[in-house]
mmCIF file of all heavy atoms in Angstrom:
data_model
loop_
_atom_site.group_PDB
_atom_site.id
_atom_site.type_symbol
_atom_site.label_atom_id
_atom_site.label_comp_id
_atom_site.label_asym_id
_atom_site.label_seq_id
_atom_site.Cartn_x
_atom_site.Cartn_y
_atom_site.Cartn_z
ATOM 1 N N ASN D 476 170.870 47.615 -23.409
ATOM 2 C CA ASN D 476 170.570 47.814 -24.790
ATOM 3 C C ASN D 476 169.592 48.982 -24.993
ATOM 4 O O ASN D 476 168.782 48.992 -25.880
ATOM 5 C CB ASN D 476 169.991 46.507 -25.362
ATOM 6 C CG ASN D 476 169.738 46.587 -26.828
ATOM 7 O OD1 ASN D 476 170.477 47.217 -27.552
ATOM 8 N ND2 ASN D 476 168.664 45.994 -27.286
ATOM 9 N N ARG D 477 169.669 49.977 -24.083
ATOM 10 C CA ARG D 477 168.754 51.106 -24.261
ATOM 11 C C ARG D 477 169.062 51.826 -25.564
ATOM 12 O O ARG D 477 168.170 52.422 -26.160
ATOM 13 C CB ARG D 477 168.832 52.074 -23.086
ATOM 14 C CG ARG D 477 168.529 51.442 -21.752
ATOM 15 C CD ARG D 477 167.097 50.911 -21.681
ATOM 16 N NE ARG D 477 166.977 49.852 -20.698
ATOM 17 C CZ ARG D 477 167.073 50.016 -19.389
ATOM 18 N NH1 ARG D 477 167.236 51.200 -18.888
ATOM 19 N NH2 ARG D 477 166.982 48.982 -18.590
ATOM 20 N N ALA D 478 170.332 51.765 -26.007
ATOM 21 C CA ALA D 478 170.658 52.385 -27.289
ATOM 22 C C ALA D 478 169.941 51.645 -28.424
ATOM 23 O O ALA D 478 169.449 52.263 -29.368
ATOM 24 C CB ALA D 478 172.168 52.391 -27.508
ATOM 25 N N GLY D 479 169.840 50.321 -28.313
ATOM 26 C CA GLY D 479 169.106 49.534 -29.317
ATOM 27 C C GLY D 479 167.619 49.831 -29.278
ATOM 28 O O GLY D 479 166.956 49.937 -30.314
ATOM 29 N N VAL D 480 167.078 49.972 -28.069
ATOM 30 C CA VAL D 480 165.652 50.302 -27.913
ATOM 31 C C VAL D 480 165.392 51.680 -28.523
ATOM 32 O O VAL D 480 164.386 51.903 -29.200
ATOM 33 C CB VAL D 480 165.252 50.283 -26.410
ATOM 34 C CG1 VAL D 480 163.846 50.828 -26.214
ATOM 35 C CG2 VAL D 480 165.358 48.868 -25.856
ATOM 36 N N TYR D 481 166.326 52.585 -28.290
ATOM 37 C CA TYR D 481 166.193 53.946 -28.820
ATOM 38 C C TYR D 481 166.175 53.926 -30.362
ATOM 39 O O TYR D 481 165.337 54.579 -30.989
ATOM 40 C CB TYR D 481 167.362 54.793 -28.301
ATOM 41 C CG TYR D 481 167.403 56.179 -28.852
ATOM 42 C CD1 TYR D 481 166.426 57.110 -28.506
ATOM 43 C CD2 TYR D 481 168.421 56.588 -29.719
ATOM 44 C CE1 TYR D 481 166.459 58.407 -29.018
ATOM 45 C CE2 TYR D 481 168.464 57.870 -30.218
ATOM 46 C CZ TYR D 481 167.479 58.773 -29.870
ATOM 47 O OH TYR D 481 167.510 60.046 -30.375
ATOM 48 N N VAL D 482 167.080 53.139 -30.951
ATOM 49 C CA VAL D 482 167.097 53.011 -32.421
ATOM 50 C C VAL D 482 165.735 52.506 -32.898
ATOM 51 O O VAL D 482 165.141 53.048 -33.831
ATOM 52 C CB VAL D 482 168.222 52.054 -32.887
ATOM 53 C CG1 VAL D 482 168.037 51.637 -34.346
ATOM 54 C CG2 VAL D 482 169.591 52.704 -32.696
ATOM 55 N N MET D 483 165.220 51.485 -32.222
ATOM 56 C CA MET D 483 163.927 50.916 -32.617
ATOM 57 C C MET D 483 162.818 51.973 -32.534
ATOM 58 O O MET D 483 162.004 52.104 -33.453
ATOM 59 C CB MET D 483 163.582 49.722 -31.720
ATOM 60 C CG MET D 483 162.310 49.010 -32.125
ATOM 61 S SD MET D 483 162.089 47.465 -31.237
ATOM 62 C CE MET D 483 161.586 48.048 -29.641
ATOM 63 N N ALA D 484 162.815 52.751 -31.464
ATOM 64 C CA ALA D 484 161.782 53.784 -31.292
ATOM 65 C C ALA D 484 161.890 54.827 -32.402
ATOM 66 O O ALA D 484 160.875 55.259 -32.965
ATOM 67 C CB ALA D 484 161.926 54.440 -29.922
ATOM 68 N N GLU D 485 163.109 55.216 -32.737
ATOM 69 C CA GLU D 485 163.295 56.236 -33.775
ATOM 70 C C GLU D 485 162.857 55.713 -35.147
ATOM 71 O O GLU D 485 162.273 56.443 -35.934
ATOM 72 C CB GLU D 485 164.762 56.688 -33.815
ATOM 73 C CG GLU D 485 165.178 57.516 -32.610
ATOM 74 C CD GLU D 485 164.382 58.823 -32.467
ATOM 75 O OE1 GLU D 485 164.273 59.555 -33.451
ATOM 76 O OE2 GLU D 485 163.865 59.080 -31.363
ATOM 77 N N VAL D 486 163.140 54.446 -35.436
ATOM 78 C CA VAL D 486 162.715 53.881 -36.733
ATOM 79 C C VAL D 486 161.182 53.806 -36.762
ATOM 80 O O VAL D 486 160.546 54.171 -37.752
ATOM 81 C CB VAL D 486 163.318 52.479 -36.982
ATOM 82 C CG1 VAL D 486 162.875 51.948 -38.349
ATOM 83 C CG2 VAL D 486 164.833 52.515 -36.920
ATOM 84 N N ALA D 487 160.597 53.357 -35.657
ATOM 85 C CA ALA D 487 159.128 53.229 -35.606
ATOM 86 C C ALA D 487 158.460 54.580 -35.845
ATOM 87 O O ALA D 487 157.464 54.674 -36.565
ATOM 88 C CB ALA D 487 158.707 52.650 -34.257
ATOM 89 N N LYS D 488 159.024 55.619 -35.254
ATOM 90 C CA LYS D 488 158.440 56.951 -35.421
ATOM 91 C C LYS D 488 158.526 57.417 -36.872
ATOM 92 O O LYS D 488 157.666 58.135 -37.355
ATOM 93 C CB LYS D 488 159.179 57.958 -34.532
ATOM 94 C CG LYS D 488 158.854 57.827 -33.067
ATOM 95 C CD LYS D 488 159.610 58.914 -32.335
ATOM 96 C CE LYS D 488 159.621 58.707 -30.848
ATOM 97 N NZ LYS D 488 160.506 59.681 -30.190
ATOM 98 N N ALA D 489 159.612 57.007 -37.549
ATOM 99 C CA ALA D 489 159.828 57.477 -38.927
ATOM 100 C C ALA D 489 159.102 56.603 -39.955
ATOM 101 O O ALA D 489 159.062 56.927 -41.131
ATOM 102 C CB ALA D 489 161.328 57.473 -39.215
ATOM 103 N N MET D 490 158.538 55.487 -39.521
ATOM 104 C CA MET D 490 157.982 54.503 -40.448
ATOM 105 C C MET D 490 156.481 54.711 -40.604
ATOM 106 O O MET D 490 155.694 54.270 -39.778
ATOM 107 C CB MET D 490 158.245 53.118 -39.838
ATOM 108 C CG MET D 490 158.170 51.993 -40.798
ATOM 109 S SD MET D 490 159.810 51.444 -41.225
ATOM 110 C CE MET D 490 159.625 51.278 -42.955
ATOM 111 N N GLN D 491 156.092 55.391 -41.601
ATOM 112 C CA GLN D 491 154.667 55.630 -41.826
ATOM 113 C C GLN D 491 154.193 54.772 -42.993
ATOM 114 O O GLN D 491 154.813 54.759 -44.039
ATOM 115 C CB GLN D 491 154.409 57.115 -42.111
ATOM 116 C CG GLN D 491 154.796 58.049 -40.963
ATOM 117 C CD GLN D 491 154.098 57.696 -39.645
ATOM 118 O OE1 GLN D 491 152.947 57.277 -39.625
ATOM 119 N NE2 GLN D 491 154.814 57.834 -38.535
ATOM 120 N N LYS D 492 153.101 54.067 -42.811
ATOM 121 C CA LYS D 492 152.473 53.255 -43.834
ATOM 122 C C LYS D 492 153.448 52.349 -44.611
ATOM 123 O O LYS D 492 153.598 52.445 -45.823
ATOM 124 C CB LYS D 492 151.714 54.149 -44.825
ATOM 125 C CG LYS D 492 150.702 55.066 -44.154
ATOM 126 C CD LYS D 492 149.534 55.394 -45.068
ATOM 127 C CE LYS D 492 148.472 56.229 -44.384
ATOM 128 N NZ LYS D 492 147.905 55.696 -43.169
ATOM 129 N N PRO D 493 154.133 51.467 -43.906
ATOM 130 C CA PRO D 493 155.030 50.531 -44.604
ATOM 131 C C PRO D 493 154.242 49.417 -45.302
ATOM 132 O O PRO D 493 153.081 49.171 -44.960
ATOM 133 C CB PRO D 493 155.866 49.952 -43.468
ATOM 134 C CG PRO D 493 154.977 50.018 -42.271
ATOM 135 C CD PRO D 493 154.090 51.229 -42.457
#
Side-chain angles (χ1 to χ4, degrees):
N476 184 36
R477 302 297 156 69
V480 171
Y481 176 68
V482 166
M483 184 170 75
E485 289 299 310
V486 181
K488 286 182 193 173
M490 199 103 224
Q491 298 304 324
K492 305 209 176 304

